[in-house]
Structures are given as C-alpha cells and as structure tokens.
Amino acid sequence: PGAAPFGNFPNYSQFHPPEGRVSLLPPGLLRSLFPELPRPVLALDVGCNSGELSVALFRHLLPEDNSRRDPPGAGNELNFLCCDIDAELIRRARLRCPFPRSMTFTSLDIMDPAARNSLNSHLERFGRSRFDLGFCMSVTMWIHLNHGDSGLREFLAFLASSCSFLLLEPQPWKCYRAAARRLRRLGRPEFRHFQTLGIRGDVAGSITRILTRECDMELVRCFGKTGWERSLLLFRSRDS
C-alpha cells in the first residue's frame, strides 16, 4: 500500500478522514454557488478512491434531509460522477455507496483522452456541455509525479474547460518528498519525473497561477487548511 504509484491507497480515508475537508466547507454552499441553475447540479469528482470523501461531500452539499439512504429527491438536486484509475477501489465504492441513484462511480485514467469520452457521455444524458462543479482532492501531486510539468498543465486545463467551478486540494511539496522516500524505502523505482520537475516549492501557488493565467479561471476563495496542511481552493471559470 505504501508504494501506491497513483495515490490509490486502499485505506486512504483512515488516515485522511473526509471530515477534515468537509468541515471547512460552509453550509448552503450548493445554493450559494448555483442559486438559479437548472437542476440537477452536475459534479465531477476526479480521483475518488473508494468513495468515502465523495459520499461525505454529497451529504454536505445536499440541502435536504439526507440522513436516509438515497432520498427520493436527491438526484433531482445533485448528481455526482466519480472516477478513479483503480478498478478495485471503484468496485468498493459502488458496493458502499448509499446514494446509487445519484452517484455514479467509474474506473478510468483521466489522463487518457479516449477514456474521457465516458465523461462526455454522462454530460450528454443531461443535455450539458460541462460539469457545474469539479472536485480534485489531493490528486494533483500524483498527476504531476507521473506525467511531469506538462502533464500537470494539461490536467489543469482539462479541469478548467470541463467545470464551471473547481474545488481543489493540492498537495504541498513536502508530500512529494515523502512519496519519493516511501518508494526508496521499499526498493521501488523512483517516480519518473520527480528529479526533473520545474514546478516545486510553492506548488499550490504555481497551480493557482496556471489556472488563473493560463486557464481563464479566477480564485474565488480559500476555505482554509486541513489538519494535514492542505488548502481547499475554490476556482470559477470566468465564462461561467
């Protein structure tokens, strides 16, 4: 598990509980962002792991009674498409999901352009061309380590073009060093791009600059930092 090359840790929510992020988000966030948007609000969660955080976000955003399993009106208000590169984690997410009518879990490599067609198919079901809200929670580092600076830029550009709003939790540089150390301790090959990354140090600042200067987004708000020192940043597409 410590050598998960794409961040696909099998028990991730045990050492980074969903409440650490969800507690930073204000109540009524969905209505404040989309007061007049036709329902359902369509959300994309990239790198959802086994779905615990996805479900917690869904519960927090849903402005009606969500204490029961799959409340009848939930799918009319909010719809989640959650994806991860690890098919086993997706299988577990499907088995445990309490909102199967409102949340779809699919396994795909988000960096594979052909695999993204399933995202477009999901949007077409609702007659939409983009998602209203995207989540990218502690995923950017794994894209960066496995695809380099250019891959990170491509990934951020894809998210910016696919989502009107984007809630992002980038990992700081110390997490990159920790990930590289884990591989060395286990005798595994080093991340292909780790030594040649030009974007390092203030990674969150670099990601913010890429999104605001190259991807036509603006930073709306920082909701603060989690207990593990990662910022929750909300961006908005300027043409949304």
Side-chain angles (χ1 to χ4, degrees), residues 40 42 75 79 121-128:
L42 298 185
N79 182 279
S121 299
H122 186 83
L123 289 170
E124 289 169 2
R125 287 175 46 206
F126 297 89
R128 308 281 187 87

Side-chain angles (χ1 to χ4, degrees), residues 191-226:
F191 288 106
R192 178 182 174 188
H193 296 278
F194 178 66
Q195 297 296 340
T196 58
L197 294 178
I199 299 171
R200 55 179 62 217
D202 181 12
V203 179
S206 296
I207 286 174
T208 297
R209 286 189 290 274
I210 292 170
L211 286 171
T212 56
R213 297 178 184 178
E214 302 176 20
C215 301
D216 204 28
M217 299 198 92
E218 59 185 352
L219 178 62
V220 177
R221 181 175 175 183
C222 175
F223 290 109
K225 290 188 176 183
T226 65

Side-chain angles (χ1 to χ4, degrees), residues 35-88:
E36 300 177 359
L37 190 73
R39 298 303 195 258
V41 170
L42 298 185
L44 172 67
D45 186 9
V46 177
C48 65
N49 199 267
S50 51
E52 288 86 351
L53 178 56
S54 308
V55 170
L57 288 167
F58 186 91
R59 288 187 184 279
H60 183 79
L61 291 173
L62 196 64
E64 55 189 77
D65 176 22
N66 52 40
S67 60
R68 298 175 287 132
R69 287 182 64 88
D70 219 3
N76 298 326
E77 187 74 20
L78 181 62
N79 182 279
F80 266 46
L81 175 60
C82 310
C83 60
D84 196 275
I85 197 171
D86 191 314
E88 174 57 23

